[in-house]
Structure formats: structure tokens, C-alpha cells
Amino acid sequence: ELGEESQWYYWLNSLPRFFSNGASMTDFCFGCLPPYAAEVSQVENRRLKLFVRALSEVPFISSGSKQNERLTRWAFAVVHTRYFAMPDGDCCLAPMADFFNHGSETDVYIMYDEEGNCYAYSTRDIPAGHPLRICYGDPTNPSNLLARYGFLDESAPATFCKISINNPSPELVNMGYDPSRMLFYKDTGDVSQEVWDVLLYQELGKVSPEEQQAFYEAHMAGNGALKQQYHEQYFLQ
């Protein structure tokens, strides 16, 4: 609202105007995504709505700005895609440091002093023209990167599978069901063990509840040999 009188004007003016993260998506977008990616993207959309509701209670922002949907979406996206988590659990914006790129292999790490000042240190010799990279999140779970930042990491070693179970039972959770761990590794073609275990547990429930229970008990007891026997027995099915 201060325009060029704001000390942050040039930083704000340099920021993107377009975002493709979860908060920027429509219902049509959610319908085009795999279930888990859609789920975490919808969480971001709900956070935007909470932000708009909280913004209505801020006394020093004009009603015109509060009612400008395009502006409030942009403000939310700027903060939510550029803040850093502080060691004390708080969040902060650090202009210039927020321009670091994402990478599975990082070149920079960030630290804060007791007064909250932000410092960036290189982890290796970095040639001129090379991007400075930090890690925005778990590279094996690209769904969260898509939902929060609006991109998929091409260097990520794994990608999400399309298994999404509504209201999973405690047994499924104990078997390892967690959408963020249901992964396919693109470089090797491997599938995470959780995918195999969850799929087999579900299939056994259809053909033999007794064997399903035995498989579950083998998992809980850490009996890898017995689990492997079940996997080999039912793999072709």
C-alpha cells in the first residue's frame, strides 16, 4: 500500500505475479491430479481461505486491499512460497535469501544469529553463474513441492504413486500406509516396500482373512522371512 515509499518496494516488485501451487488451483485442477497430490494441494487452498479470514481482522490494512481477491492470493503465495522456518518454530521472510533455488543436492545452508539475522553459507566452491540451491523439502515426496511451490522436481529420485486410501485402518497404517511413503523410484524402477506391503495386505483380505492376519502379525513381529514368502507366493497374482 505504501508503493515506492516502502523500503521493500523493489524486492516486492521483483517477485513473480503468477503462481501454480495448490492455493492457486481450481477444482478442475484438483481433479486432474493423482489423489495424494490433490489432497495436499487442497490443504494449501484451505490455508488460503484461513489467511483471507485472518486478514479481515488486521486493522492497518485498507478494506480495498482486503477485498481485492487477486491481491490477497498474491500476498499469500508470496509469503507461503518464500518463508523460512526458524529454529524456534516461527517463520520469517528473508529478502534475497528467498531467491535461492531448490535442489536435491544443495550448495547453501542457512543459519540465524540470536537476533534473528539470516546468514547463508556455501557448502562447497561454487563456480560463477551456477545457481545457489537449498532444499525446499523432502525430494522423495514431490507432491508437497507441487502443492506448496507449484513445481515438480525433475531431479527427485522418486515420485508418488496413485494409491490413496480413505480412512485407512490402524492395521494399514501399521503396515506402512502413508501417502508420502508410497513411492516409485524413477532411476531404478524400484517400488518402496510400503507399496508392496499395503497392496498385498489388501489383496489377502479379499482371498483369505486368515492369511491376511498372519501376514500382518509377521510384519508387526519383524519376521521378514515370512513376509517375503507371502510376497513370493502372491506376486504373480
Side-chain angles (χ1 to χ4, degrees), residues 9-25:
Y9 171 77
Y10 294 101
W11 171 69
L12 289 168
N13 198 41
S14 71
L15 300 179
R17 274 24 178 202
F18 174 79
F19 292 87
S20 55
N21 58 349
S24 305
M25 294 180 186

Side-chain angles (χ1 to χ4, degrees), residues 142-159:
S143 296
N144 287 331
L145 294 176
L146 175 65
R148 179 173 171 185
Y149 299 102
F151 71 91
L152 289 173
D153 180 7
E154 294 182 358
S155 67
T159 187

Side-chain angles (χ1 to χ4, degrees), residues 45-63:
N45 202 270
R46 289 193 289 271
R47 286 176 177 166
L48 168 63
K49 294 176 181 178
L50 292 174
F51 168 78
V52 172
R53 187 183 305 172
L55 191 65
S56 67
E57 304 297 326
V58 179
F60 55 82
I61 296 179
S62 71
S63 58

Side-chain angles (χ1 to χ4, degrees), residues 20 33 82 92-93 105 109-111 126-127 142 159 169 189 220:
S20 55
L33 294 174
R82 308 186 83 83
C92 77
L93 284 171
E105 297 182 4
Y109 68 94
I110 292 174
M111 295 185 65
I126 304 172
T159 187
S169 66
M220 297 301 293

Side-chain angles (χ1 to χ4, degrees), residues 7 13 43 53 81 134 146 154 160 169 186 191 199:
Q7 62 178 324
N13 198 41
V43 169
R53 187 183 305 172
T81 60
I134 59 176
L146 175 65
E154 294 182 358
F160 44 78
S169 66
K186 64 179 188 180
V191 179
L199 287 177

Side-chain angles (χ1 to χ4, degrees), residues 153-225:
D153 180 7
E154 294 182 358
S155 67
T159 187
F160 44 78
C161 69
K162 295 184 178 181
I163 299 174
S164 182
I165 302 172
N166 293 326
N167 302 315
S169 66
E171 289 79 12
L172 270 175
V173 174
N174 289 337
M175 290 299 304
Y177 177 73
D178 178 339
S180 67
R181 294 161 60 189
M182 311 295 282
L183 302 172
F184 294 136
Y185 293 90
K186 64 179 188 180
D187 293 332
T188 64
D190 292 337
V191 179
S192 65
Q193 187 61 46
E194 289 85 356
V195 172
W196 293 118
D197 288 345
V198 166
L199 287 177
L200 180 55
Y201 179 80
Q202 289 184 299
E203 289 303 310
L204 287 173
K206 299 175 184 177
V207 298
S208 175
E210 293 79 12
E211 290 196 328
Q212 181 190 46
Q213 182 61 29
F215 179 66
Y216 175 76
E217 291 175 356
H219 175 81
M220 297 301 293
N223 190 337

